[in-house]
Amino acid sequence: MDWGMSNRLARILGRDGRAVMLAVDHGYFMGPTSGLEEPRRTIAPMLPLADSIMLTRGVLRTSVEPSVRAGVVLRVSGGASILRELSNEDVTVGMEDALRLGVSGIALSIFVGAEFEKQTLVSLARLVDEGQRFGMPVLAVTAVGKDMARDARYLGLACRIAAEQGAHLVKTYYCEDFESVVRSCPIPIIVAGGKKTPEREALDLTWNAVSHGAVGVDMGRNIFQSSSPVGMIRAVRAIVHDQASAEDALGVFEGGARPELRPVER
């Protein structure tokens, strides 16, 4: 792996190899998601506590200061909305624009088991080829086909396919027997936060994910839709980087006594 690729990955994962990724790319298919109606206002207070942020080029250009120190993972797939078949995605951002923006990595969804499975996997393979040429890591997001359960068999299949195609990172869901998904996937796994749940449940998810082999979480709605987004991202950091329990992290969220938090290191 060349220096440029390694440097970009380090901006996503951090020095301890773990990652708190802030997901704010929902608008590319959901429009003005609750909590993200004004992206700049939502993102600004949380960004100093994120290792990296996943977003679209439109939000990056309009709503994030160029002095940002967090790693930037750019969503480069799209073409379908919640009103249509979501798997009918294609690559919507060229590598030249990603390089111009100076991002740390690029991300696209793969829909294993869905109607347009093939085109999303071919898009992944092509992006990996381009990424290798320019030292750009590729994160594959394992979206779930309508008829596929979020279980270890399916998620293990999707993650392994992403790795076999050459992805450098994969984002997937937590499930029972998650250790088997990790064992069968030779690249780092980041766990998706999913829909908004009570804070304790989201912190339990974070603890379970990193305790069973994930390098971190990519959490969006469970942070920016929380009653205290800054408190929530602090709590998630406590688990991911400081090995806090979910109970201790809940104390961080609630503003009680908390373990010493490491600053984001660059």
Side-chain angles (χ1 to χ4, degrees):
M1 188 178 297
D2 64 25
W3 190 92
M5 181 78 75
S6 298
N7 176 263
R8 287 188 171 98
L9 282 170
R11 283 189 266 160
I12 298 170
L13 297 179
R15 293 185 179 181
D16 63 358
R18 293 195 168 202
V20 174
M21 186 180 292
L22 177 63
V24 291
D25 59 330
H26 304 71
Y28 92 96
F29 71 98
M30 295 177 68
T33 311
S34 176
L36 277 179
E37 295 91 345
E38 299 178 70
R40 177 179 287 272
R41 179 175 293 184
T42 298
I43 293 167
M46 295 181 290
L47 199 50
L49 292 164
D51 297 302
S52 58
I53 182 169
M54 186 190 291
L55 75 179
T56 62
R57 60 180 170 182
V59 170
L60 179 59
R61 284 192 166 105
T62 62
S63 307
V64 177
E65 293 297 326
S67 58
V68 60
R69 298 185 66 188
V72 174
V73 179
L74 186 69
R75 163 68 68 172
V76 299
S77 66
S81 75
I82 55 174
L83 303 178
R84 299 291 182 181
E85 171 53 56
L86 285 177
S87 70
N88 193 13
E89 281 197 354
D90 209 334
V91 175
T92 55
V93 180
M95 183 64 72
E96 182 179 336
D97 207 20
L99 292 167
R100 183 183 297 113
L101 288 165
V103 302
S104 310
I106 55 178
L108 82 164
S109 295
I110 57 172
F111 290 83
V112 175
E115 181 180 356
F116 295 95
E117 172 189 89
K118 178 182 176 180
Q119 74 183 41
T120 64
L121 291 176
V122 170
S123 291
L124 171 61
R126 289 172 176 164
L127 276 182
V128 169
D129 282 345
E130 286 194 81
Q132 290 300 123
R133 286 178 59 203
F134 295 104
M136 181 69 71
V138 177
L139 167 67
V141 180
T142 62
V144 178
K146 291 181 180 179
D147 299 323
M148 305 300 286
R150 293 182 182 181
D151 58 21
R153 181 179 179 183
Y154 169 73
L155 297 177
L157 170 69
C159 289
R160 182 57 177 264
I161 287 174
E164 295 276 353
Q165 291 284 1
H168 304 91
L169 303 162
V170 63
K171 171 183 169 181
T172 195
Y173 296 95
Y174 182 77
C175 62
E176 289 188 20
D177 194 24
F178 187 70
E179 299 96 326
S180 68
V181 178
V182 174
R183 281 197 306 270
S184 64
C185 181
I187 58 176
I189 294 178
I190 295 172
V191 166
K195 295 180 180 179
K196 178 69 176 71
T197 60
E199 281 75 11
R200 178 57 193 260
E201 289 184 22
L203 294 174
D204 284 336
L205 168 67
T206 303
W207 189 88
N208 284 328
V210 298
S211 297
H212 294 100
V215 299
V217 293
D218 183 26
M219 197 164 279
R221 285 168 287 183
N222 275 302
I223 292 177
F224 64 73
Q225 290 180 351
S226 170
S227 60
S228 175
V230 170
M232 191 59 181
I233 195 170
R234 284 188 179 276
V236 171
R237 280 192 62 79
I239 295 172
V240 173
H241 290 294
D242 298 293
Q243 296 80 53
S245 67
E247 183 175 355
D248 286 343
L250 186 63
V252 174
F253 169 74
E254 293 173 342
R258 67 188 190 196
E260 187 67 25
L261 297 180
R262 301 189 188 108
V264 178
E265 296 179 343
R266 295 290 165 217

